[in-house]
């Protein structure tokens, strides 16, 4: 007959001997060992999916924070003017809005805009396009707000296929010479592949152009960001190209990452109150954008 109790004792004693050689804790006591403990090298995960373990070491250096800065002396709108044009009232500072770029928000967009200020990132269905305005007024207004506050513009675009897209636009920082460096920090900080980035797009275009011999082939236009371009000093944000880094993920993960990045870029307005409609705002006549002043 097989003595199961004896077999279990033998197995237990073998395990104790093995762990004793490795120098680990057995039954609450630290065993001594002349052998060096094994080190498990794993790639450090992003803050969103991080796991704390004392038994693991990172074989690669992953940034624990995102370093960024913003242009100090340049033209920017003021927050009060951004709020005014979002109601259809003309701004006090010239250039804040344009009749060709819709900024006036409806009731639903107003609620999302106010929530975005408190959370630090905007949540919008799809691209935010509104056919009545032939544009995306919510995206335009929030980007102008980020420009006024000298901060990155973080937007979570909600899809209907099970995946959302979190987009970080660095153009409101108005420092094109650091965009690529900040992009690298973002990608390293998040720790997952991007669904779109300017660097990735430019590398793909260079690869395609080298492989093509047909001179008549049409190429996509890629905006080159020049640090010496004076447009970043004087032009309003709706006349400047975005510099966006995007990640695709599920909604819960997108919201969690948006909250983390909002903390990194300091986009949260903890004391932001509900925006109030200015006085004397009336619809104009024969104006497609609807409302008095800049739409």
């Amino acid at each position: 007959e097989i003595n199961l109790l004896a077999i279990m004792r033998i197995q237990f004693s073998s395990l104790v001997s093995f762990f004793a050689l490795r120098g680990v804790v057995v039954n609450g006591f630290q065993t001594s060992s002349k052998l060096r403990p094994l080190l498990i090298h794993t790639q450090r995960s992003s803050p969103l999916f991080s796991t704390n373990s004392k038994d693991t070491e990172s074989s690669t250096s992953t940034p624990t924070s995102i370093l960024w800065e913003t242009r100090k002396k340049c033209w920017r709108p003021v927050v009060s003017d951004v709020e005014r044009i979002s109601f259809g009232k003309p701004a006090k500072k010239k250039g804040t809005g344009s009749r060709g770029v819709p900024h006036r928000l409806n009731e639903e967009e107003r609620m999302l805009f106010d929530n975005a200020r408190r959370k630090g990132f905007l949540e919008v269905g799809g691209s935010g396009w509104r056919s009545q305005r032939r544009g995306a007024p919510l995206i335009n207004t929030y980007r102008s707000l980020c420009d006024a506050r000298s901060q990155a513009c973080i937007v979570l675009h909600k899809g209907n296929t099970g995946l959302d897209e979190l987009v970080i636009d660095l153009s409101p920082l108005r420092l094109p010479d650091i965009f690529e460096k900040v992009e690298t920090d973002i990608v390293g900080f998040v720790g997952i592949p991007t669904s779109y980035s300017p660097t990735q797009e430019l590398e793909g275009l260079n690869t395609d152009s080298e492989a093509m011999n047909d001179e008549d082939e049409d190429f996509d236009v890629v905006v080159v960001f020049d640090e010496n371009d004076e447009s970043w000093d004087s032009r309003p944000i709706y006349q400047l190209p975005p510099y966006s880094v995007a990640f695709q993920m599920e909604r819960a993960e997108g919201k969690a990452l948006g909250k983390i990045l909002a903390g990194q870029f300091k986009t949260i307005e903890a004391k932001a109150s509900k925006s109030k409609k200015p006085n004397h705002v009336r619809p104009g006549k024969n104006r497609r954008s609807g409302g008095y002043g800049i739409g």
Side-chain angles (χ1 to χ4, degrees), residues 53-244:
S53 175
K54 297 180 180 179
D55 298 330
T56 61
E57 289 187 359
S58 175
S59 60
T60 59
S61 58
T62 303
T64 57
S65 62
I66 301 173
L67 301 179
W68 58 277
E69 55 184 315
T70 185
R71 189 183 295 271
K72 300 295 184 182
K73 297 180 179 180
C74 63
W75 187 95
R76 290 186 186 274
V78 294
V79 175
S80 59
D81 275 349
V82 174
E83 293 176 344
R84 287 170 65 89
I85 66 174
S86 71
F87 283 102
K89 195 170 184 178
K92 296 181 179 180
K93 191 174 184 179
K94 186 177 180 180
T96 301
S98 169
R99 289 192 176 95
V101 181
H103 287 89
R104 186 169 183 172
L105 307 178
N106 59 24
E107 185 177 353
E108 180 183 358
E109 292 169 339
R110 176 75 51 192
M111 180 184 64
L112 295 174
F113 178 74
D114 291 339
N115 290 339
R117 298 182 67 174
R118 289 187 289 269
K119 293 187 299 184
F121 67 97
L122 176 67
E123 295 183 44
V124 62
S127 63
W129 178 272
R130 185 145 57 93
S131 58
Q132 297 89 340
R133 304 300 301 277
R134 301 180 186 178
L138 179 56
I139 300 292
N140 297 335
T141 301
Y142 187 67
R143 189 172 180 235
S144 293
L145 174 71
C146 294
D147 184 36
R149 300 190 70 244
S150 305
Q151 66 186 30
C153 181
I154 307 173
V155 181
L156 179 64
H157 295 270
K158 297 180 178 179
N160 54 7
T161 60
L163 289 177
D164 297 345
E165 193 164 44
L166 185 69
V167 180
I168 304 96
D169 180 13
L170 303 178
S171 61
L173 301 180
R174 291 180 177 261
L175 282 176
D177 53 324
I178 70 165
F179 285 170
E180 188 173 346
K181 174 63 171 62
V182 178
E183 174 193 342
T184 303
D185 285 353
I186 293 174
V187 174
F189 180 82
V190 175
I192 60 176
T194 60
S195 59
Y196 174 84
S197 70
T199 302
Q200 183 182 18
E201 184 73 11
L202 188 59
E203 290 176 353
L205 182 63
N206 291 336
T207 303
D208 293 340
S209 61
E210 291 175 359
M212 292 181 179
N213 297 322
D214 189 357
E215 297 181 356
D216 296 331
E217 187 71 27
D218 293 332
F219 293 96
D220 294 334
V221 177
V222 176
V223 178
V224 178
F225 293 85
D226 184 5
E227 59 185 273
N228 298 319
D229 189 354
E230 296 181 356
S231 300
W232 296 94
D233 282 325
S234 57
R235 289 187 176 274
I237 194 66
Y238 54 83
Q239 293 181 358
L240 297 175
Y243 190 100
S244 301

Side-chain angles (χ1 to χ4, degrees), residues 4-75:
L4 295 179
L5 182 60
I7 294 176
M8 292 176 63
R9 288 177 177 174
I10 294 173
Q11 291 177 343
F12 179 77
S13 61
S14 299
L15 288 173
V16 171
S17 300
F18 174 79
F19 287 130
L21 289 175
R22 294 303 177 193
V24 298
V25 177
V26 179
N27 291 338
F29 296 93
Q30 178 70 38
T31 61
S32 60
S33 173
K34 296 181 180 179
L35 297 179
R36 184 178 180 181
L38 293 176
L39 296 180
I40 303 175
H41 294 273
T42 59
Q43 184 176 2
R44 186 171 182 176
S45 58
S46 70
L48 184 60
F49 309 104
S50 62
T51 56
N52 295 326
S53 175
K54 297 180 180 179
D55 298 330
T56 61
E57 289 187 359
S58 175
S59 60
T60 59
S61 58
T62 303
T64 57
S65 62
I66 301 173
L67 301 179
W68 58 277
E69 55 184 315
T70 185
R71 189 183 295 271
K72 300 295 184 182
K73 297 180 179 180
C74 63
W75 187 95

